[in-house]
Amino acid sequence: MSVRTFGTATVLLVLALYSCVATVGVQGNSQLFPERFRDGQAYERALSAERHHHGSIGFTPNTTANFFNQFIFHNDPSVGTFADKFYYDMTYYNKSGPIGPLCMMYLNGEAPLNGAVGGYMADIAQAVGACTLTIEHRWYGVSLPGPLTDKDLLTRSLTVNEAMEDVVALMRHFEQQIIGTTPTWMLVGGSYSGAVTVWMNEKYPGLFKASWAASGVVRATFDYTDYDGHVKEVVSRECGDALSNVMRIAEEKWETENARLRQLFNIPTYNGKTDMMWAMADASASSVQYSMKDRMCNSILPPAAGGDWAVLQQYATMVVNEWGPNFMASCYYSTECLSNSSYAAQWGPAGYSWIWECCNEVAYWQTGYPGSIRSPNVTTSYFIDQCRSAFYNDTFPDTWAFNKRHHGLHPQTLGNIVATQGSDDPWSTTGLRVSQGPTFPVNTAQCDNCGHCGSMMSPRTSDPANLQAQRALVLSSLKQWLFGG
């Protein structure tokens, strides 16, 4: 199962996409939504847009699941294997194309996987005659090496390096057991896996013919104040002030009218004050990230008349409408829930495994600061305490060492990679925004509501011109590197 060498007779196009969820109005791949974002209208709009686009190109993603015995530790097969879920789709497969068989591989990242890849990846598959392959990331969905309560196994086996090894192992399995040929590869990913795309080009030089890294968060970031700083920069002054006011009122009401506040936002008893403030901020900041800036701001402007509780009710209505009535109740935001095994049934949907990845390697801790929209009480100390409560007393993400190993904003690869960003995306501040050379261009779609991984989502005729041009650049770059000419 261990893979080290590959033939070059054909090209297998691998699309490694993790947690990209957004473009204008939240469209595209619905399965990319973290589970805590799947209860509201935003998710329903994504489902609708996805179905409409797939219908327009005559594409029905395959939903027949397959399973592959993946090593728990690739350097120690004696520990055993786990059943890793994957899908493949042959709709556009043309094994007699100009360079032989082409396929896409999609890595789902920090959410369950429920079908073959779609969105703009379906357009690419159609354009180049590719089949598609997609894998569920270890420790998410049903691809569990053990129960989430096996803290020792989870914390030892859930690493970026093991996840990258999984990709290569499935590539070999797909070659030998499904398509029956030894291919060359191209790699594409978005968000977390946009970063993985770059890191894999470093780890396996020459393995990939071409790559696409969309909104790749290549720099592990410990104290990520820039995230909220970017949110504040791209929303209007009035919207930013309204959000800051909501956060201020909520903190005050926590101390004076706690029961009423909990009832209004459906805040469970296991959430503390800072847990609540993190969730409150995530509801609005994620709206910006997921290309719903205008929709979110319009829902809270002008601020409701009638005093503080009217303002809070207005914000609560936005949260429930967009993210669902249980958003604030998610275990994801609760130190007590993440630390208490009696709540283990909620850990999977809460993203317990992603919490560990942040606590162990990449952090990405979105923190407040004086004058920010988010409460300044949401600090790195809060996240460190949460990590140590949920895992071990010495848990700490050494982002300096991680970036030294993977090179952060200065990737060390000669691979052919096109990187894309959206100008509204707050994650862009920890990703590549400057071209790295003639074989590593970086393009930012400069447009309102151009958010996280927008170019990867289902295209619409109403998309901004710069976003449409970005998609065209991606496709032309991939074709150039694959086919030449």
PDB file of all heavy atoms in Angstrom, residues 399-430:
ATOM      1  N   THR A 399       3.456  26.696  15.352  1.00  0.00           N
ATOM      2  CA  THR A 399       3.262  27.140  13.971  1.00  0.00           C
ATOM      3  C   THR A 399       4.575  27.594  13.335  1.00  0.00           C
ATOM      4  O   THR A 399       4.736  27.510  12.120  1.00  0.00           O
ATOM      5  CB  THR A 399       2.225  28.277  13.904  1.00  0.00           C
ATOM      6  OG1 THR A 399       2.609  29.324  14.803  1.00  0.00           O
ATOM      7  CG2 THR A 399       0.846  27.765  14.301  1.00  0.00           C
ATOM      8  N   TRP A 400       5.508  28.061  14.156  1.00  0.00           N
ATOM      9  CA  TRP A 400       6.820  28.460  13.617  1.00  0.00           C
ATOM     10  C   TRP A 400       7.514  27.247  13.015  1.00  0.00           C
ATOM     11  O   TRP A 400       8.007  27.299  11.883  1.00  0.00           O
ATOM     12  CB  TRP A 400       7.678  29.087  14.708  1.00  0.00           C
ATOM     13  CG  TRP A 400       8.980  29.623  14.180  1.00  0.00           C
ATOM     14  CD1 TRP A 400       9.223  30.869  13.697  1.00  0.00           C
ATOM     15  CD2 TRP A 400      10.218  28.898  14.066  1.00  0.00           C
ATOM     16  NE1 TRP A 400      10.541  30.986  13.289  1.00  0.00           N
ATOM     17  CE2 TRP A 400      11.166  29.784  13.502  1.00  0.00           C
ATOM     18  CE3 TRP A 400      10.621  27.607  14.378  1.00  0.00           C
ATOM     19  CZ2 TRP A 400      12.481  29.407  13.258  1.00  0.00           C
ATOM     20  CZ3 TRP A 400      11.928  27.226  14.125  1.00  0.00           C
ATOM     21  CH2 TRP A 400      12.849  28.121  13.569  1.00  0.00           C
ATOM     22  N   ALA A 401       7.532  26.147  13.756  1.00  0.00           N
ATOM     23  CA  ALA A 401       8.174  24.927  13.259  1.00  0.00           C
ATOM     24  C   ALA A 401       7.426  24.376  12.051  1.00  0.00           C
ATOM     25  O   ALA A 401       8.042  23.902  11.084  1.00  0.00           O
ATOM     26  CB  ALA A 401       8.239  23.884  14.367  1.00  0.00           C
ATOM     27  N   PHE A 402       6.089  24.435  12.091  1.00  0.00           N
ATOM     28  CA  PHE A 402       5.293  23.942  10.965  1.00  0.00           C
ATOM     29  C   PHE A 402       5.603  24.747   9.706  1.00  0.00           C
ATOM     30  O   PHE A 402       5.802  24.185   8.622  1.00  0.00           O
ATOM     31  CB  PHE A 402       3.810  24.022  11.305  1.00  0.00           C
ATOM     32  CG  PHE A 402       2.915  23.407  10.263  1.00  0.00           C
ATOM     33  CD1 PHE A 402       2.573  22.065  10.330  1.00  0.00           C
ATOM     34  CD2 PHE A 402       2.412  24.164   9.216  1.00  0.00           C
ATOM     35  CE1 PHE A 402       1.754  21.481   9.368  1.00  0.00           C
ATOM     36  CE2 PHE A 402       1.589  23.594   8.252  1.00  0.00           C
ATOM     37  CZ  PHE A 402       1.258  22.249   8.327  1.00  0.00           C
ATOM     38  N   ASN A 403       5.646  26.063   9.830  1.00  0.00           N
ATOM     39  CA  ASN A 403       5.931  26.899   8.660  1.00  0.00           C
ATOM     40  C   ASN A 403       7.366  26.739   8.189  1.00  0.00           C
ATOM     41  O   ASN A 403       7.644  26.857   6.984  1.00  0.00           O
ATOM     42  CB  ASN A 403       5.636  28.362   8.986  1.00  0.00           C
ATOM     43  CG  ASN A 403       4.154  28.652   9.076  1.00  0.00           C
ATOM     44  OD1 ASN A 403       3.345  28.005   8.411  1.00  0.00           O
ATOM     45  ND2 ASN A 403       3.778  29.606   9.908  1.00  0.00           N
ATOM     46  N   LYS A 404       8.272  26.459   9.106  1.00  0.00           N
ATOM     47  CA  LYS A 404       9.650  26.199   8.695  1.00  0.00           C
ATOM     48  C   LYS A 404       9.715  24.927   7.858  1.00  0.00           C
ATOM     49  O   LYS A 404      10.434  24.859   6.853  1.00  0.00           O
ATOM     50  CB  LYS A 404      10.549  26.067   9.915  1.00  0.00           C
ATOM     51  CG  LYS A 404      12.021  25.838   9.568  1.00  0.00           C
ATOM     52  CD  LYS A 404      12.891  25.729  10.810  1.00  0.00           C
ATOM     53  CE  LYS A 404      14.356  25.524  10.445  1.00  0.00           C
ATOM     54  NZ  LYS A 404      15.217  25.378  11.647  1.00  0.00           N
ATOM     55  N   ARG A 405       8.917  23.940   8.241  1.00  0.00           N
ATOM     56  CA  ARG A 405       8.907  22.664   7.533  1.00  0.00           C
ATOM     57  C   ARG A 405       8.220  22.772   6.178  1.00  0.00           C
ATOM     58  O   ARG A 405       8.667  22.192   5.194  1.00  0.00           O
ATOM     59  CB  ARG A 405       8.209  21.623   8.414  1.00  0.00           C
ATOM     60  CG  ARG A 405       8.202  20.213   7.872  1.00  0.00           C
ATOM     61  CD  ARG A 405       7.892  19.201   8.967  1.00  0.00           C
ATOM     62  NE  ARG A 405       6.561  19.372   9.543  1.00  0.00           N
ATOM     63  CZ  ARG A 405       6.320  19.842  10.770  1.00  0.00           C
ATOM     64  NH1 ARG A 405       7.310  20.221  11.555  1.00  0.00           N
ATOM     65  NH2 ARG A 405       5.072  19.943  11.221  1.00  0.00           N
ATOM     66  N   HIS A 406       7.117  23.533   6.123  1.00  0.00           N
ATOM     67  CA  HIS A 406       6.323  23.615   4.889  1.00  0.00           C
ATOM     68  C   HIS A 406       6.478  24.952   4.163  1.00  0.00           C
ATOM     69  O   HIS A 406       5.848  25.155   3.122  1.00  0.00           O
ATOM     70  CB  HIS A 406       4.855  23.365   5.204  1.00  0.00           C
ATOM     71  CG  HIS A 406       4.577  21.976   5.711  1.00  0.00           C
ATOM     72  ND1 HIS A 406       4.620  20.871   4.896  1.00  0.00           N
ATOM     73  CD2 HIS A 406       4.274  21.516   6.950  1.00  0.00           C
ATOM     74  CE1 HIS A 406       4.342  19.784   5.600  1.00  0.00           C
ATOM     75  NE2 HIS A 406       4.123  20.148   6.856  1.00  0.00           N
ATOM     76  N   HIS A 407       7.231  25.895   4.733  1.00  0.00           N
ATOM     77  CA  HIS A 407       7.682  27.121   4.080  1.00  0.00           C
ATOM     78  C   HIS A 407       6.642  28.222   3.933  1.00  0.00           C
ATOM     79  O   HIS A 407       6.912  29.249   3.327  1.00  0.00           O
ATOM     80  CB  HIS A 407       8.306  26.801   2.712  1.00  0.00           C
ATOM     81  CG  HIS A 407       9.426  25.810   2.803  1.00  0.00           C
ATOM     82  ND1 HIS A 407       9.303  24.510   2.368  1.00  0.00           N
ATOM     83  CD2 HIS A 407      10.666  25.922   3.330  1.00  0.00           C
ATOM     84  CE1 HIS A 407      10.433  23.857   2.603  1.00  0.00           C
ATOM     85  NE2 HIS A 407      11.281  24.690   3.189  1.00  0.00           N
ATOM     86  N   GLY A 408       5.449  28.049   4.498  1.00  0.00           N
ATOM     87  CA  GLY A 408       4.509  29.146   4.608  1.00  0.00           C
ATOM     88  C   GLY A 408       4.278  29.900   3.319  1.00  0.00           C
ATOM     89  O   GLY A 408       3.914  29.319   2.286  1.00  0.00           O
ATOM     90  N   LEU A 409       4.500  31.220   3.374  1.00  0.00           N
ATOM     91  CA  LEU A 409       4.269  32.081   2.216  1.00  0.00           C
ATOM     92  C   LEU A 409       5.415  32.056   1.211  1.00  0.00           C
ATOM     93  O   LEU A 409       5.392  32.799   0.222  1.00  0.00           O
ATOM     94  CB  LEU A 409       4.042  33.531   2.684  1.00  0.00           C
ATOM     95  CG  LEU A 409       2.814  33.763   3.560  1.00  0.00           C
ATOM     96  CD1 LEU A 409       2.738  35.226   3.981  1.00  0.00           C
ATOM     97  CD2 LEU A 409       1.533  33.344   2.855  1.00  0.00           C
ATOM     98  N   HIS A 410       6.393  31.178   1.448  1.00  0.00           N
ATOM     99  CA  HIS A 410       7.544  31.087   0.544  1.00  0.00           C
ATOM    100  C   HIS A 410       7.750  29.629   0.129  1.00  0.00           C
ATOM    101  O   HIS A 410       8.754  29.006   0.486  1.00  0.00           O
ATOM    102  CB  HIS A 410       8.795  31.647   1.222  1.00  0.00           C
ATOM    103  CG  HIS A 410       8.621  33.037   1.733  1.00  0.00           C
ATOM    104  ND1 HIS A 410       8.646  34.137   0.913  1.00  0.00           N
ATOM    105  CD2 HIS A 410       8.362  33.506   2.989  1.00  0.00           C
ATOM    106  CE1 HIS A 410       8.425  35.226   1.631  1.00  0.00           C
ATOM    107  NE2 HIS A 410       8.255  34.876   2.893  1.00  0.00           N
ATOM    108  N   PRO A 411       6.800  29.060  -0.607  1.00  0.00           N
ATOM    109  CA  PRO A 411       6.874  27.636  -0.963  1.00  0.00           C
ATOM    110  C   PRO A 411       8.126  27.311  -1.771  1.00  0.00           C
ATOM    111  O   PRO A 411       8.556  28.100  -2.614  1.00  0.00           O
ATOM    112  CB  PRO A 411       5.602  27.412  -1.782  1.00  0.00           C
ATOM    113  CG  PRO A 411       5.179  28.771  -2.242  1.00  0.00           C
ATOM    114  CD  PRO A 411       5.612  29.718  -1.177  1.00  0.00           C
ATOM    115  N   GLN A 412       8.674  26.150  -1.485  1.00  0.00           N
ATOM    116  CA  GLN A 412       9.904  25.705  -2.150  1.00  0.00           C
ATOM    117  C   GLN A 412       9.556  24.572  -3.109  1.00  0.00           C
ATOM    118  O   GLN A 412       9.742  23.398  -2.824  1.00  0.00           O
ATOM    119  CB  GLN A 412      10.913  25.232  -1.107  1.00  0.00           C
ATOM    120  CG  GLN A 412      11.242  26.269  -0.051  1.00  0.00           C
ATOM    121  CD  GLN A 412      11.879  27.516  -0.634  1.00  0.00           C
ATOM    122  OE1 GLN A 412      12.956  27.428  -1.257  1.00  0.00           O
ATOM    123  NE2 GLN A 412      11.265  28.659  -0.442  1.00  0.00           N
ATOM    124  N   THR A 413       9.013  24.930  -4.248  1.00  0.00           N
ATOM    125  CA  THR A 413       8.638  23.942  -5.243  1.00  0.00           C
ATOM    126  C   THR A 413       8.798  24.521  -6.636  1.00  0.00           C
ATOM    127  O   THR A 413       8.610  25.727  -6.842  1.00  0.00           O
ATOM    128  CB  THR A 413       7.177  23.476  -5.047  1.00  0.00           C
ATOM    129  OG1 THR A 413       6.821  22.603  -6.122  1.00  0.00           O
ATOM    130  CG2 THR A 413       6.201  24.640  -5.027  1.00  0.00           C
ATOM    131  N   LEU A 414       9.155  23.654  -7.573  1.00  0.00           N
ATOM    132  CA  LEU A 414       9.254  24.042  -8.978  1.00  0.00           C
ATOM    133  C   LEU A 414       8.049  23.543  -9.765  1.00  0.00           C
ATOM    134  O   LEU A 414       8.039  23.597 -10.993  1.00  0.00           O
ATOM    135  CB  LEU A 414      10.550  23.485  -9.588  1.00  0.00           C
ATOM    136  CG  LEU A 414      11.856  23.988  -8.959  1.00  0.00           C
ATOM    137  CD1 LEU A 414      13.051  23.297  -9.599  1.00  0.00           C
ATOM    138  CD2 LEU A 414      11.970  25.497  -9.099  1.00  0.00           C
ATOM    139  N   GLY A 415       7.030  23.066  -9.059  1.00  0.00           N
ATOM    140  CA  GLY A 415       5.840  22.555  -9.723  1.00  0.00           C
ATOM    141  C   GLY A 415       5.067  23.636 -10.447  1.00  0.00           C
ATOM    142  O   GLY A 415       5.169  24.829 -10.126  1.00  0.00           O
ATOM    143  N   ASN A 416       4.287  23.238 -11.434  1.00  0.00           N
ATOM    144  CA  ASN A 416       3.395  24.147 -12.150  1.00  0.00           C
ATOM    145  C   ASN A 416       2.112  24.309 -11.339  1.00  0.00           C
ATOM    146  O   ASN A 416       1.293  23.387 -11.288  1.00  0.00           O
ATOM    147  CB  ASN A 416       3.063  23.599 -13.534  1.00  0.00           C
ATOM    148  CG  ASN A 416       4.290  23.462 -14.414  1.00  0.00           C
ATOM    149  OD1 ASN A 416       5.135  24.349 -14.458  1.00  0.00           O
ATOM    150  ND2 ASN A 416       4.394  22.345 -15.113  1.00  0.00           N
ATOM    151  N   ILE A 417       1.931  25.450 -10.702  1.00  0.00           N
ATOM    152  CA  ILE A 417       0.797  25.671  -9.810  1.00  0.00           C
ATOM    153  C   ILE A 417       0.164  27.015 -10.122  1.00  0.00           C
ATOM    154  O   ILE A 417       0.857  28.036 -10.179  1.00  0.00           O
ATOM    155  CB  ILE A 417       1.230  25.672  -8.325  1.00  0.00           C
ATOM    156  CG1 ILE A 417       2.017  24.403  -7.992  1.00  0.00           C
ATOM    157  CG2 ILE A 417       0.020  25.805  -7.407  1.00  0.00           C
ATOM    158  CD1 ILE A 417       2.639  24.427  -6.597  1.00  0.00           C
ATOM    159  N   VAL A 418      -1.155  27.028 -10.291  1.00  0.00           N
ATOM    160  CA  VAL A 418      -1.886  28.283 -10.364  1.00  0.00           C
ATOM    161  C   VAL A 418      -2.638  28.443  -9.042  1.00  0.00           C
ATOM    162  O   VAL A 418      -3.329  27.530  -8.601  1.00  0.00           O
ATOM    163  CB  VAL A 418      -2.842  28.336 -11.576  1.00  0.00           C
ATOM    164  CG1 VAL A 418      -3.820  27.173 -11.598  1.00  0.00           C
ATOM    165  CG2 VAL A 418      -3.568  29.668 -11.640  1.00  0.00           C
ATOM    166  N   ALA A 419      -2.443  29.586  -8.395  1.00  0.00           N
ATOM    167  CA  ALA A 419      -3.091  29.853  -7.110  1.00  0.00           C
ATOM    168  C   ALA A 419      -4.100  30.980  -7.283  1.00  0.00           C
ATOM    169  O   ALA A 419      -3.831  31.964  -7.981  1.00  0.00           O
ATOM    170  CB  ALA A 419      -2.057  30.239  -6.055  1.00  0.00           C
ATOM    171  N   THR A 420      -5.262  30.837  -6.650  1.00  0.00           N
ATOM    172  CA  THR A 420      -6.328  31.837  -6.786  1.00  0.00           C
ATOM    173  C   THR A 420      -6.824  32.272  -5.419  1.00  0.00           C
ATOM    174  O   THR A 420      -6.808  31.508  -4.452  1.00  0.00           O
ATOM    175  CB  THR A 420      -7.497  31.284  -7.610  1.00  0.00           C
ATOM    176  OG1 THR A 420      -7.949  30.048  -7.037  1.00  0.00           O
ATOM    177  CG2 THR A 420      -7.081  31.053  -9.052  1.00  0.00           C
ATOM    178  N   GLN A 421      -7.304  33.525  -5.345  1.00  0.00           N
ATOM    179  CA  GLN A 421      -7.873  34.106  -4.139  1.00  0.00           C
ATOM    180  C   GLN A 421      -9.110  34.921  -4.517  1.00  0.00           C
ATOM    181  O   GLN A 421      -9.289  35.288  -5.677  1.00  0.00           O
ATOM    182  CB  GLN A 421      -6.861  35.039  -3.441  1.00  0.00           C
ATOM    183  CG  GLN A 421      -5.561  34.413  -3.032  1.00  0.00           C
ATOM    184  CD  GLN A 421      -5.665  33.566  -1.766  1.00  0.00           C
ATOM    185  OE1 GLN A 421      -6.740  33.449  -1.181  1.00  0.00           O
ATOM    186  NE2 GLN A 421      -4.578  32.964  -1.359  1.00  0.00           N
ATOM    187  N   GLY A 422      -9.931  35.218  -3.507  1.00  0.00           N
ATOM    188  CA  GLY A 422     -11.030  36.155  -3.653  1.00  0.00           C
ATOM    189  C   GLY A 422     -10.771  37.369  -2.783  1.00  0.00           C
ATOM    190  O   GLY A 422     -10.330  37.235  -1.632  1.00  0.00           O
ATOM    191  N   SER A 423     -11.029  38.560  -3.288  1.00  0.00           N
ATOM    192  CA  SER A 423     -10.626  39.775  -2.568  1.00  0.00           C
ATOM    193  C   SER A 423     -11.368  39.966  -1.251  1.00  0.00           C
ATOM    194  O   SER A 423     -10.851  40.608  -0.335  1.00  0.00           O
ATOM    195  CB  SER A 423     -10.828  41.007  -3.456  1.00  0.00           C
ATOM    196  OG  SER A 423     -12.194  41.129  -3.856  1.00  0.00           O
ATOM    197  N   ASP A 424     -12.574  39.420  -1.119  1.00  0.00           N
ATOM    198  CA  ASP A 424     -13.310  39.552   0.137  1.00  0.00           C
ATOM    199  C   ASP A 424     -12.927  38.493   1.161  1.00  0.00           C
ATOM    200  O   ASP A 424     -13.282  38.621   2.336  1.00  0.00           O
ATOM    201  CB  ASP A 424     -14.824  39.455  -0.110  1.00  0.00           C
ATOM    202  CG  ASP A 424     -15.470  40.809  -0.381  1.00  0.00           C
ATOM    203  OD1 ASP A 424     -14.733  41.811  -0.435  1.00  0.00           O
ATOM    204  OD2 ASP A 424     -16.703  40.855  -0.549  1.00  0.00           O
ATOM    205  N   ASP A 425     -12.241  37.467   0.750  1.00  0.00           N
ATOM    206  CA  ASP A 425     -11.979  36.320   1.613  1.00  0.00           C
ATOM    207  C   ASP A 425     -11.023  36.675   2.744  1.00  0.00           C
ATOM    208  O   ASP A 425      -9.856  36.990   2.503  1.00  0.00           O
ATOM    209  CB  ASP A 425     -11.383  35.194   0.770  1.00  0.00           C
ATOM    210  CG  ASP A 425     -11.116  33.928   1.575  1.00  0.00           C
ATOM    211  OD1 ASP A 425     -11.624  33.819   2.707  1.00  0.00           O
ATOM    212  OD2 ASP A 425     -10.390  33.058   1.058  1.00  0.00           O
ATOM    213  N   PRO A 426     -11.466  36.593   4.013  1.00  0.00           N
ATOM    214  CA  PRO A 426     -10.546  36.892   5.105  1.00  0.00           C
ATOM    215  C   PRO A 426      -9.408  35.887   5.220  1.00  0.00           C
ATOM    216  O   PRO A 426      -8.342  36.212   5.763  1.00  0.00           O
ATOM    217  CB  PRO A 426     -11.444  36.864   6.353  1.00  0.00           C
ATOM    218  CG  PRO A 426     -12.694  36.172   5.947  1.00  0.00           C
ATOM    219  CD  PRO A 426     -12.847  36.364   4.479  1.00  0.00           C
ATOM    220  N   TRP A 427      -9.592  34.683   4.689  1.00  0.00           N
ATOM    221  CA  TRP A 427      -8.510  33.688   4.721  1.00  0.00           C
ATOM    222  C   TRP A 427      -7.361  34.058   3.781  1.00  0.00           C
ATOM    223  O   TRP A 427      -6.258  33.507   3.901  1.00  0.00           O
ATOM    224  CB  TRP A 427      -9.054  32.314   4.336  1.00  0.00           C
ATOM    225  CG  TRP A 427      -9.850  31.645   5.402  1.00  0.00           C
ATOM    226  CD1 TRP A 427     -11.211  31.491   5.438  1.00  0.00           C
ATOM    227  CD2 TRP A 427      -9.363  31.028   6.599  1.00  0.00           C
ATOM    228  NE1 TRP A 427     -11.588  30.827   6.579  1.00  0.00           N
ATOM    229  CE2 TRP A 427     -10.468  30.533   7.312  1.00  0.00           C
ATOM    230  CE3 TRP A 427      -8.083  30.859   7.137  1.00  0.00           C
ATOM    231  CZ2 TRP A 427     -10.349  29.869   8.529  1.00  0.00           C
ATOM    232  CZ3 TRP A 427      -7.958  30.202   8.355  1.00  0.00           C
ATOM    233  CH2 TRP A 427      -9.076  29.711   9.039  1.00  0.00           C
ATOM    234  N   SER A 428      -7.608  34.962   2.851  1.00  0.00           N
ATOM    235  CA  SER A 428      -6.552  35.323   1.902  1.00  0.00           C
ATOM    236  C   SER A 428      -5.342  35.914   2.591  1.00  0.00           C
ATOM    237  O   SER A 428      -4.237  35.907   2.039  1.00  0.00           O
ATOM    238  CB  SER A 428      -7.090  36.302   0.858  1.00  0.00           C
ATOM    239  OG  SER A 428      -7.443  37.550   1.447  1.00  0.00           O
ATOM    240  N   THR A 429      -5.520  36.401   3.812  1.00  0.00           N
ATOM    241  CA  THR A 429      -4.406  37.027   4.525  1.00  0.00           C
ATOM    242  C   THR A 429      -3.406  36.005   5.060  1.00  0.00           C
ATOM    243  O   THR A 429      -2.332  36.394   5.527  1.00  0.00           O
ATOM    244  CB  THR A 429      -4.927  37.883   5.690  1.00  0.00           C
ATOM    245  OG1 THR A 429      -5.705  37.063   6.568  1.00  0.00           O
ATOM    246  CG2 THR A 429      -5.794  39.026   5.178  1.00  0.00           C
ATOM    247  N   THR A 430      -3.736  34.736   5.008  1.00  0.00           N
ATOM    248  CA  THR A 430      -2.762  33.704   5.372  1.00  0.00           C
ATOM    249  C   THR A 430      -2.463  32.798   4.180  1.00  0.00           C
ATOM    250  O   THR A 430      -1.953  31.691   4.340  1.00  0.00           O
ATOM    251  CB  THR A 430      -3.244  32.879   6.587  1.00  0.00           C
ATOM    252  OG1 THR A 430      -2.139  32.186   7.157  1.00  0.00           O
ATOM    253  CG2 THR A 430      -4.342  31.904   6.217  1.00  0.00           C
TER     254      THR A 430
END
